[in-house]
Amino acid sequence: MTNTSNLSENIAKFYDTSSNLWEKIWGEHMHHGYYGRGGNYKVDRRQAQIDLIEELLIWANIKEVSNLVDVGCGIGGSTLYLAEKFNTKATGITLSSVQANRATERASEVKLEETAQFQVADALNMPFPDDNFDLVWSLESGEHMPDKTKFFQECYRVLKPGGTFICATWCHRPTNSWAGELTEDEKQHLEEIYRVYYLPYVISLPEYETIAKNCGFSNLKVDDWSMEVAPFWDIVIDSALNLEAISGLLNSGWQTVEGALSLGLMSRGYERGLIRFGLISGQK
C-alpha cells in the first residue's frame, strides 16, 4: 500500500490537475446526487447534488449551525451552501492548494469571504482546537483517508459536546452477511478504483459503525443510500462524452483522462452491489 505521505501528495496532485475541468463541466459540487429513495427521481444533476446536501441535513436532524468544518471541501460547494443556508461561520479543508484557492475565490464571488475560510490541511491532523465545531461535515472524503480510525478520532476531537458529525462515504458491501467475504474478482474491481481515484482502501458500513462507537460517538445513525445515488454515475458518463468535456480532458493530463475513462468502474460497482454509499451520523 502507498505510504501516507505519498498518498497525500498523489491525492493533492490528482485534484490540483482535475478540479478546474470538473468545475467547468459539472459545477462546484464534486459529489453524488440524490435521486429519491428508489433512485427514480428525474432531476437535473446539479439539483440532485443540492438535494443530497438537503437530505443529509434532514436525515441527521440538523436545524441550526453556528460553526462548521467541511472535511475534504473540494472547491467549497458544500461549505458555501451550508454557510449561506445557516448564516454561519464555515471552514473548509482540502489537501489541494488549487482547490483551496479556488474555494476562496468562490467565497469572494458570492460575498461570503467574511464567514467562509479555506485552507490546505490534513484531515488526520486538523489544525483546530478541541471542541471547536458544532457540525463536522464529511461528504465523500472518508474513502481517501489512509487511517479511518484516526480520521474519526480527529472529527470527534474537534467536535463540540452536543455537536453532530455527518459522514457520507464510499464503502464496499458488508462481509458479515450471507454473501461472505469479498471475492477475488470483487477485490480486483476495488483495486482498479483505488488506483484510478487515489484511494488507499474502502471499508464496509458496519466497520465504520464500529469505529464510530469506539471513538465515543453517541446517538449513532447509519444508513445505506446506494440506490438513492447510483444513477449519478451514468449521468456523469453521459456528460463526459460531449465535445467540450473531451477537449478539456485532453488538456488536463493523463491522470484526469484516466479518471474519466474509468467512470464505468463506479457505475458497474453499484450495479453488482459491490460499491455502497454509506452514511454515519453521531454526536459528542
Side-chain angles (χ1 to χ4, degrees):
M1 185 179 294
T2 306
N3 69 48
T4 301
S5 61
N6 285 344
L7 177 67
S8 296
E9 290 171 7
N10 287 333
I11 293 170
K13 184 178 178 182
F14 177 73
Y15 285 107
D16 282 349
T17 57
S18 65
S19 292
N20 289 338
L21 176 64
W22 298 151
E23 180 186 8
K24 185 176 181 180
I25 299 172
W26 294 318
E28 71 274 27
H29 294 290
M30 297 182 180
H31 56 76
H32 282 76
Y34 181 87
Y35 297 91
R37 288 301 284 181
N40 298 319
Y41 288 2
K42 303 299 181 185
V43 294
D44 171 78
R45 180 195 48 74
R46 185 176 185 278
Q47 184 59 52
Q49 290 174 302
I50 293 171
D51 289 348
L52 179 64
I53 297 172
E54 289 289 349
E55 290 293 333
L56 285 171
L57 294 172
I58 293 169
W59 179 77
N61 196 31
I62 303 296
K63 296 179 179 176
E64 56 182 308
V65 182
S66 61
N67 188 19
L68 71 91
V69 61
D70 184 355
V71 184
C73 64
I75 59 169
S78 295
T79 325
L80 296 175
Y81 184 88
L82 294 169
E84 184 172 34
K85 178 180 178 67
F86 292 108
N87 189 27
T88 184
K89 181 181 178 183
T91 303
I93 64 171
T94 172
L95 290 173
S96 166
S97 59
V98 169
Q99 286 188 335
N101 291 337
R102 179 58 186 138
T104 300
E105 290 176 357
R106 292 193 61 256
S108 180
E109 290 168 5
V110 297
K111 305 293 191 290
L112 288 174
E113 67 273 17
E114 295 299 318
T115 55
Q117 308 291 322
F118 298 92
Q119 63 189 91
V120 175
D122 183 355
L124 301 186
N125 187 25
M126 288 192 254
F128 309 118
D130 298 353
D131 307 331
N132 197 56
F133 303 100
D134 59 347
L135 175 61
V136 176
W137 175 273
S138 170
L139 182 48
E140 299 183 50
S141 60
E143 58 270 18
H144 280 297
M145 304 300 168
D147 187 333
K148 314 301 189 195
T149 298
K150 183 71 165 65
F151 170 48
F152 271 39
Q153 288 172 340
E154 272 294 274
C155 290
Y156 186 86
R157 181 184 67 79
V158 301
L159 187 65
K160 287 181 179 178
T164 301
F165 169 53
I166 303 176
C167 176
T169 185
W170 304 4
C171 302
H172 64 62
R173 68 165 177 81
T175 56
N176 60 352
S177 66
W178 63 268
E181 295 297 322
L182 296 174
T183 67
E184 286 305 312
D185 184 62
E186 286 177 320
K187 290 177 182 178
Q188 288 176 11
H189 191 147
L190 289 172
E191 287 293 339
E192 274 300 291
I193 291 173
Y194 301 161
R195 183 181 65 81
V196 171
Y197 296 111
Y198 294 93
L199 309 182
Y201 61 97
V202 300
I203 59 177
S204 68
L205 186 55
E207 289 175 286
Y208 271 116
E209 184 176 10
T210 297
I211 291 172
K213 286 178 181 176
N214 292 340
C215 288
F217 287 104
S218 60
N219 301 320
L220 278 174
K221 288 180 67 177
V222 297
D223 206 351
D224 184 322
W225 282 11
S226 301
M227 288 182 64
E228 289 81 346
V229 305
F232 176 76
W233 288 93
D234 286 336
I235 292 168
V236 168
I237 289 169
D238 288 343
S239 67
L241 295 177
N242 68 51
L243 189 60
E244 179 186 16
I246 292 171
S247 175
L249 284 168
L250 294 175
N251 291 323
S252 297
W254 174 245
Q255 279 184 312
T256 307
V257 171
E258 189 173 34
L261 292 174
S262 302
L263 292 169
L265 285 169
M266 291 296 293
S267 180
R268 292 193 299 276
Y270 276 112
E271 286 175 4
R272 68 186 298 193
L274 172 61
I275 301 298
R276 303 293 179 87
F277 192 80
L279 275 57
I280 312 99
S281 175
Q283 294 180 314
K284 186 172 182 178

